[in-house]
Amino acid sequence: MSKNKKLSLSSDSTEKFIYKPKDLIWAKMKGFTPWPGMIVEPPLDLLSQQRRANTKCVFFFGSRNFAWIEEHNIKPFEGPWKDELAKVSKPAAFRHAMADIDKYVDNPTEIDGQIDVSCGMGNHATEADFDKIRDGLDSDENPDAAAVASDTNNGVVPHVVGSPDDESEVPPLASENIANAVAGATSPVVSTTPTAKSQVKRTPKAKSSAAVAVSSKQANKAASAKSAAAQKRRVSSHLTPTGPLGSSGKRGRRVASGDVDQYESPGGDYDGASSSSLAARARIDTETFLGTLTKRAPNAIALLDRPVVTRPETKTIDMNSRSNTLADRDIVASDQIFGFLGLGMMGSTIVKDLIYTGHKVVVWNRTIDKCQPFVEAGAEVKDTPMDVVEAADIIFCCVSDPKGAKDLVFGNCGVLQLKDLRNKAYVEMSTIDPDTSLDIGEGIKQCNGRYLEAQIHGSRQEAAEGMLIILAGGDRSVFEECHSCFKTIAKNTFFLGNVGNACKVNLILQTILGVSLVGLAEALALADRFSISLNDIIDIFDLTSMKSPLLLAKGKEMAKGDFNPQQPLSHMQRDLRLVLNMAENLDQSMPVTSITNEVFKHTKRLGYSEHDSSAVFVRSRF
């Protein structure tokens, strides 16, 4: 084994350093000698690769390549070990590297400019950047905070290394470097990105000559390099985030797409972008920044690639459309008068079908304008929920949450303001928890009324086609009297006994749906990172035993980015919250559901509360 191969950077376990971008260091890859390099922000191709824990992205002088190096294989460039590492007999490639770092210390402008282009420093996307652009703030108001955010967040940007002008100067692959390492003639070469279809390999020949030592006076040559070369290290609790990489000195390295430039001589020049200082990194030009996003690779996903969040278009209900399924059913309308409280997404669709099948309907809604189409179709409108109760025999309620359901019953001008509900029945169709249903049922019974919970399971499209599932519990006589209504809006109805049972079953079904949607979203997000067609994944999924019409439909929505609300994301998160509260009362552990709920909450915070529940894909993808 050669002397070079025996050199090591392993250090005393009590000696710790914290490395920051632009720090000059010695780095050692497995199978190679320690090599002069610099800590930098990782380029795109390294971000998408596997790597071990506690690693730093290193730029190697001479070859001008990048690699993930474990921290225990990194030493500061200046130190007692410098003479030992710099003065031993090394090949020409090492001498070139030492000359390159000497050139950098003397004038860092050129190499800094190339690294900035390679690592996308000028357009590094951070959470702080996104917030400023979203809020319309100028980053000049707080440049220091922007600079700190840029240093502590890893964005994803286009990665271009060097110049494609000289294709014959492409760096050699790792397999050839290992062969030459035995003769002591190689430099660390890592993932690069050639543009040419065919790679041209060049392996430097081994030469034995005195290594070029880096003089200690180099630190005084330039003020900008002085702090980088002589910077003191401090012990810190800061940890480098872990992520994927697979880069071993004894295995061939995977080559990604891009442009490559090869170092030719110590005095050679590089083709690259002009230098951008750290101060310039703190400033973000919104138009320029967003303009660069279109130039990135298909799987280059960054924070500011998030779609612009716009409120979904509120569709006016079409009273003239008719469901073919509903037209084929033999429905005989009941003679009773049905009241309906709440004309939201589901309520308006249900009322339209009831009117179409000949039922007499009295409606109320908080926003009176929504009632106009139903008035034209033959419904009667009342001013308050209490007025609807007075005019109707059976009253349906369909609102967005348990609090709204309780307000309509116990609130001012609510259902219970009519003290005697004899010969009247109240049907709660809102998605609520069992305790809320029991409270409402108790209040209705105390006023001599009858109560039925009829939970709706299905989407807006299924409601329009009359393909919902009704889960009922409570007074059986009310269930029978609502038979014609349930036949109009549902393909199946189930009577589950006592009050509260239907709410429990509905929330259990919603738990299965919510967890499945998050799993589907994360799987498709992973496929997108691999640049695998989402449509191909969905087509294959359709052929498996796992397929279901709902997941296929949601998968297609995710692939298209079409989040037109069929079941609003806020409603799904509400259901998960109710499930977790219900489980808490039983001391039932539901860790997966808890995580699923947090994913939906985060998606709501991103602005997708009123979009379809399939918009959870946005959170998984970005």
Side-chain angles (χ1 to χ4, degrees), residues 117-147:
V117 173
S118 301
C119 300
M121 298 298 185
N123 293 325
H124 219 55
T126 67
E127 186 75 40
D129 298 342
F130 174 75
D131 290 339
K132 289 187 178 184
I133 292 174
R134 180 191 61 191
D135 298 335
L137 299 178
D138 187 353
S139 61
D140 283 343
E141 295 174 6
N142 192 3
D144 293 335

mmCIF file of all heavy atoms in Angstrom, residues 117-147:
data_model
loop_
_atom_site.group_PDB
_atom_site.id
_atom_site.type_symbol
_atom_site.label_atom_id
_atom_site.label_comp_id
_atom_site.label_asym_id
_atom_site.label_seq_id
_atom_site.Cartn_x
_atom_site.Cartn_y
_atom_site.Cartn_z
ATOM 1 N N VAL A 117 -23.018 29.391 -9.602
ATOM 2 C CA VAL A 117 -23.835 28.893 -10.715
ATOM 3 C C VAL A 117 -24.149 27.412 -10.523
ATOM 4 O O VAL A 117 -25.274 26.953 -10.713
ATOM 5 C CB VAL A 117 -23.109 29.127 -12.052
ATOM 6 C CG1 VAL A 117 -23.862 28.455 -13.187
ATOM 7 C CG2 VAL A 117 -22.991 30.615 -12.322
ATOM 8 N N SER A 118 -23.133 26.634 -10.149
ATOM 9 C CA SER A 118 -23.319 25.201 -9.989
ATOM 10 C C SER A 118 -24.321 24.873 -8.902
ATOM 11 O O SER A 118 -25.143 23.971 -9.034
ATOM 12 C CB SER A 118 -21.977 24.532 -9.657
ATOM 13 O OG SER A 118 -21.047 24.766 -10.679
ATOM 14 N N CYS A 119 -24.241 25.608 -7.794
ATOM 15 C CA CYS A 119 -25.095 25.321 -6.642
ATOM 16 C C CYS A 119 -26.330 26.202 -6.598
ATOM 17 O O CYS A 119 -27.145 26.069 -5.689
ATOM 18 C CB CYS A 119 -24.314 25.482 -5.348
ATOM 19 S SG CYS A 119 -22.886 24.377 -5.246
ATOM 20 N N GLY A 120 -26.472 27.113 -7.561
ATOM 21 C CA GLY A 120 -27.664 27.940 -7.628
ATOM 22 C C GLY A 120 -27.783 28.942 -6.494
ATOM 23 O O GLY A 120 -28.863 29.228 -6.028
ATOM 24 N N MET A 121 -26.621 29.468 -6.022
ATOM 25 C CA MET A 121 -26.676 30.359 -4.880
ATOM 26 C C MET A 121 -27.510 31.604 -5.150
ATOM 27 O O MET A 121 -28.194 32.106 -4.289
ATOM 28 C CB MET A 121 -25.261 30.791 -4.463
ATOM 29 C CG MET A 121 -24.387 29.638 -4.026
ATOM 30 S SD MET A 121 -25.073 28.833 -2.579
ATOM 31 C CE MET A 121 -23.770 27.659 -2.239
ATOM 32 N N GLY A 122 -27.417 32.105 -6.371
ATOM 33 C CA GLY A 122 -28.097 33.357 -6.661
ATOM 34 C C GLY A 122 -29.601 33.243 -6.603
ATOM 35 O O GLY A 122 -30.296 34.208 -6.406
ATOM 36 N N ASN A 123 -30.101 32.018 -6.788
ATOM 37 C CA ASN A 123 -31.542 31.811 -6.815
ATOM 38 C C ASN A 123 -31.961 30.745 -5.821
ATOM 39 O O ASN A 123 -32.839 29.961 -6.086
ATOM 40 C CB ASN A 123 -32.000 31.387 -8.224
ATOM 41 C CG ASN A 123 -31.823 32.488 -9.219
ATOM 42 O OD1 ASN A 123 -31.992 33.653 -8.889
ATOM 43 N ND2 ASN A 123 -31.454 32.142 -10.437
ATOM 44 N N HIS A 124 -31.289 30.702 -4.668
ATOM 45 C CA HIS A 124 -31.570 29.645 -3.698
ATOM 46 C C HIS A 124 -32.933 29.871 -3.067
ATOM 47 O O HIS A 124 -33.173 30.900 -2.432
ATOM 48 C CB HIS A 124 -30.495 29.656 -2.620
ATOM 49 C CG HIS A 124 -30.094 28.287 -2.198
ATOM 50 N ND1 HIS A 124 -29.661 27.333 -3.083
ATOM 51 C CD2 HIS A 124 -30.061 27.718 -0.972
ATOM 52 C CE1 HIS A 124 -29.352 26.237 -2.425
ATOM 53 N NE2 HIS A 124 -29.592 26.443 -1.146
ATOM 54 N N ALA A 125 -33.874 28.917 -3.213
ATOM 55 C CA ALA A 125 -35.234 29.075 -2.706
ATOM 56 C C ALA A 125 -35.300 28.706 -1.236
ATOM 57 O O ALA A 125 -34.899 27.629 -0.858
ATOM 58 C CB ALA A 125 -36.184 28.184 -3.502
ATOM 59 N N THR A 126 -35.804 29.592 -0.423
ATOM 60 C CA THR A 126 -35.942 29.317 0.998
ATOM 61 C C THR A 126 -37.356 29.637 1.434
ATOM 62 O O THR A 126 -38.102 30.329 0.743
ATOM 63 C CB THR A 126 -34.958 30.163 1.824
ATOM 64 O OG1 THR A 126 -35.336 31.538 1.704
ATOM 65 C CG2 THR A 126 -33.525 29.982 1.337
ATOM 66 N N GLU A 127 -37.722 29.139 2.619
ATOM 67 C CA GLU A 127 -39.048 29.416 3.154
ATOM 68 C C GLU A 127 -39.236 30.912 3.372
ATOM 69 O O GLU A 127 -40.290 31.466 3.122
ATOM 70 C CB GLU A 127 -39.230 28.652 4.472
ATOM 71 C CG GLU A 127 -40.621 28.748 5.059
ATOM 72 C CD GLU A 127 -41.604 27.874 4.309
ATOM 73 O OE1 GLU A 127 -41.259 26.752 3.917
ATOM 74 O OE2 GLU A 127 -42.734 28.348 4.107
ATOM 75 N N ALA A 128 -38.164 31.583 3.847
ATOM 76 C CA ALA A 128 -38.251 33.021 4.061
ATOM 77 C C ALA A 128 -38.475 33.749 2.739
ATOM 78 O O ALA A 128 -39.238 34.712 2.659
ATOM 79 C CB ALA A 128 -36.975 33.534 4.724
ATOM 80 N N ASP A 129 -37.799 33.278 1.679
ATOM 81 C CA ASP A 129 -37.988 33.883 0.359
ATOM 82 C C ASP A 129 -39.428 33.744 -0.092
ATOM 83 O O ASP A 129 -40.034 34.672 -0.618
ATOM 84 C CB ASP A 129 -37.065 33.216 -0.670
ATOM 85 C CG ASP A 129 -35.595 33.408 -0.319
ATOM 86 O OD1 ASP A 129 -35.308 34.320 0.482
ATOM 87 O OD2 ASP A 129 -34.781 32.650 -0.842
ATOM 88 N N PHE A 130 -39.966 32.539 0.107
ATOM 89 C CA PHE A 130 -41.357 32.298 -0.308
ATOM 90 C C PHE A 130 -42.312 33.215 0.446
ATOM 91 O O PHE A 130 -43.224 33.799 -0.125
ATOM 92 C CB PHE A 130 -41.720 30.838 -0.060
ATOM 93 C CG PHE A 130 -43.166 30.539 -0.321
ATOM 94 C CD1 PHE A 130 -43.639 30.446 -1.617
ATOM 95 C CD2 PHE A 130 -44.056 30.371 0.723
ATOM 96 C CE1 PHE A 130 -44.965 30.184 -1.854
ATOM 97 C CE2 PHE A 130 -45.376 30.104 0.495
ATOM 98 C CZ PHE A 130 -45.832 30.019 -0.806
ATOM 99 N N ASP A 131 -42.092 33.349 1.766
ATOM 100 C CA ASP A 131 -42.973 34.194 2.556
ATOM 101 C C ASP A 131 -42.917 35.644 2.082
ATOM 102 O O ASP A 131 -43.929 36.329 2.016
ATOM 103 C CB ASP A 131 -42.589 34.122 4.030
ATOM 104 C CG ASP A 131 -42.918 32.759 4.623
ATOM 105 O OD1 ASP A 131 -43.772 32.061 4.023
ATOM 106 O OD2 ASP A 131 -42.327 32.386 5.655
ATOM 107 N N LYS A 132 -41.696 36.124 1.733
ATOM 108 C CA LYS A 132 -41.572 37.506 1.285
ATOM 109 C C LYS A 132 -42.283 37.727 -0.041
ATOM 110 O O LYS A 132 -42.966 38.727 -0.249
ATOM 111 C CB LYS A 132 -40.103 37.885 1.165
ATOM 112 C CG LYS A 132 -39.419 38.027 2.522
ATOM 113 C CD LYS A 132 -38.018 38.577 2.372
ATOM 114 C CE LYS A 132 -37.376 38.757 3.744
ATOM 115 N NZ LYS A 132 -36.059 39.375 3.649
ATOM 116 N N ILE A 133 -42.116 36.781 -0.950
ATOM 117 C CA ILE A 133 -42.771 36.913 -2.252
ATOM 118 C C ILE A 133 -44.283 36.824 -2.095
ATOM 119 O O ILE A 133 -45.043 37.579 -2.675
ATOM 120 C CB ILE A 133 -42.254 35.836 -3.218
ATOM 121 C CG1 ILE A 133 -40.796 36.123 -3.552
ATOM 122 C CG2 ILE A 133 -43.083 35.810 -4.497
ATOM 123 C CD1 ILE A 133 -40.142 35.053 -4.380
ATOM 124 N N ARG A 134 -44.713 35.898 -1.219
ATOM 125 C CA ARG A 134 -46.152 35.732 -1.007
ATOM 126 C C ARG A 134 -46.766 36.974 -0.384
ATOM 127 O O ARG A 134 -47.853 37.399 -0.734
ATOM 128 C CB ARG A 134 -46.390 34.521 -0.095
ATOM 129 C CG ARG A 134 -47.870 34.244 0.202
ATOM 130 C CD ARG A 134 -47.994 33.222 1.309
ATOM 131 N NE ARG A 134 -47.361 33.733 2.525
ATOM 132 C CZ ARG A 134 -47.124 32.988 3.594
ATOM 133 N NH1 ARG A 134 -47.429 31.709 3.593
ATOM 134 N NH2 ARG A 134 -46.554 33.504 4.661
ATOM 135 N N ASP A 135 -46.067 37.583 0.571
ATOM 136 C CA ASP A 135 -46.600 38.735 1.271
ATOM 137 C C ASP A 135 -46.305 40.044 0.574
ATOM 138 O O ASP A 135 -46.692 41.110 1.042
ATOM 139 C CB ASP A 135 -46.036 38.786 2.694
ATOM 140 C CG ASP A 135 -46.454 37.565 3.496
ATOM 141 O OD1 ASP A 135 -47.482 36.969 3.159
ATOM 142 O OD2 ASP A 135 -45.746 37.241 4.450
ATOM 143 N N GLY A 136 -45.559 39.991 -0.554
ATOM 144 C CA GLY A 136 -45.248 41.211 -1.289
ATOM 145 C C GLY A 136 -44.239 42.094 -0.601
ATOM 146 O O GLY A 136 -44.260 43.308 -0.747
ATOM 147 N N LEU A 137 -43.335 41.489 0.188
ATOM 148 C CA LEU A 137 -42.344 42.268 0.906
ATOM 149 C C LEU A 137 -41.062 42.377 0.111
ATOM 150 O O LEU A 137 -40.704 41.481 -0.640
ATOM 151 C CB LEU A 137 -42.056 41.613 2.260
ATOM 152 C CG LEU A 137 -43.259 41.509 3.218
ATOM 153 C CD1 LEU A 137 -42.830 40.808 4.488
ATOM 154 C CD2 LEU A 137 -43.820 42.872 3.542
ATOM 155 N N ASP A 138 -40.325 43.463 0.325
ATOM 156 C CA ASP A 138 -39.025 43.639 -0.312
ATOM 157 C C ASP A 138 -37.970 43.110 0.630
ATOM 158 O O ASP A 138 -37.898 43.485 1.787
ATOM 159 C CB ASP A 138 -38.797 45.135 -0.587
ATOM 160 C CG ASP A 138 -37.522 45.344 -1.403
ATOM 161 O OD1 ASP A 138 -36.779 44.365 -1.625
ATOM 162 O OD2 ASP A 138 -37.312 46.482 -1.828
ATOM 163 N N SER A 139 -37.111 42.211 0.149
ATOM 164 C CA SER A 139 -36.099 41.621 1.009
ATOM 165 C C SER A 139 -35.085 42.631 1.490
ATOM 166 O O SER A 139 -34.307 42.367 2.394
ATOM 167 C CB SER A 139 -35.386 40.482 0.272
ATOM 168 O OG SER A 139 -34.756 40.976 -0.882
ATOM 169 N N ASP A 140 -35.060 43.824 0.888
ATOM 170 C CA ASP A 140 -34.127 44.848 1.346
ATOM 171 C C ASP A 140 -34.465 45.316 2.749
ATOM 172 O O ASP A 140 -33.625 45.884 3.445
ATOM 173 C CB ASP A 140 -34.156 46.060 0.399
ATOM 174 C CG ASP A 140 -33.383 45.769 -0.871
ATOM 175 O OD1 ASP A 140 -32.591 44.813 -0.854
ATOM 176 O OD2 ASP A 140 -33.593 46.467 -1.878
ATOM 177 N N GLU A 141 -35.732 45.080 3.192
ATOM 178 C CA GLU A 141 -36.115 45.538 4.508
ATOM 179 C C GLU A 141 -35.331 44.800 5.598
ATOM 180 O O GLU A 141 -35.120 45.310 6.671
ATOM 181 C CB GLU A 141 -37.619 45.323 4.716
ATOM 182 C CG GLU A 141 -38.470 46.165 3.785
ATOM 183 C CD GLU A 141 -39.940 45.818 3.920
ATOM 184 O OE1 GLU A 141 -40.270 45.015 4.807
ATOM 185 O OE2 GLU A 141 -40.726 46.347 3.149
ATOM 186 N N ASN A 142 -34.934 43.574 5.319
ATOM 187 C CA ASN A 142 -34.187 42.803 6.301
ATOM 188 C C ASN A 142 -33.187 41.908 5.611
ATOM 189 O O ASN A 142 -33.351 40.706 5.571
ATOM 190 C CB ASN A 142 -35.153 41.971 7.153
ATOM 191 C CG ASN A 142 -34.465 41.375 8.367
ATOM 192 O OD1 ASN A 142 -33.281 41.622 8.597
ATOM 193 N ND2 ASN A 142 -35.207 40.592 9.140
ATOM 194 N N PRO A 143 -32.117 42.466 5.032
ATOM 195 C CA PRO A 143 -31.177 41.668 4.250
ATOM 196 C C PRO A 143 -30.434 40.650 5.091
ATOM 197 O O PRO A 143 -30.089 39.595 4.624
ATOM 198 C CB PRO A 143 -30.225 42.712 3.654
ATOM 199 C CG PRO A 143 -30.342 43.901 4.566
ATOM 200 C CD PRO A 143 -31.725 43.897 5.095
ATOM 201 N N ASP A 144 -30.174 40.990 6.374
ATOM 202 C CA ASP A 144 -29.435 40.039 7.209
ATOM 203 C C ASP A 144 -30.224 38.773 7.424
ATOM 204 O O ASP A 144 -29.706 37.662 7.365
ATOM 205 C CB ASP A 144 -29.105 40.684 8.563
ATOM 206 C CG ASP A 144 -28.114 41.835 8.401
ATOM 207 O OD1 ASP A 144 -27.360 41.823 7.397
ATOM 208 O OD2 ASP A 144 -28.101 42.725 9.262
ATOM 209 N N ALA A 145 -31.540 38.917 7.690
ATOM 210 C CA ALA A 145 -32.370 37.731 7.894
ATOM 211 C C ALA A 145 -32.439 36.903 6.642
ATOM 212 O O ALA A 145 -32.448 35.684 6.679
ATOM 213 C CB ALA A 145 -33.775 38.162 8.321
ATOM 214 N N ALA A 146 -32.483 37.578 5.482
ATOM 215 C CA ALA A 146 -32.535 36.825 4.222
ATOM 216 C C ALA A 146 -31.264 36.042 4.002
ATOM 217 O O ALA A 146 -31.281 34.926 3.504
ATOM 218 C CB ALA A 146 -32.780 37.787 3.059
ATOM 219 N N ALA A 147 -30.123 36.646 4.373
ATOM 220 C CA ALA A 147 -28.854 35.945 4.181
ATOM 221 C C ALA A 147 -28.765 34.735 5.076
ATOM 222 O O ALA A 147 -28.297 33.677 4.673
ATOM 223 C CB ALA A 147 -27.688 36.903 4.469
#
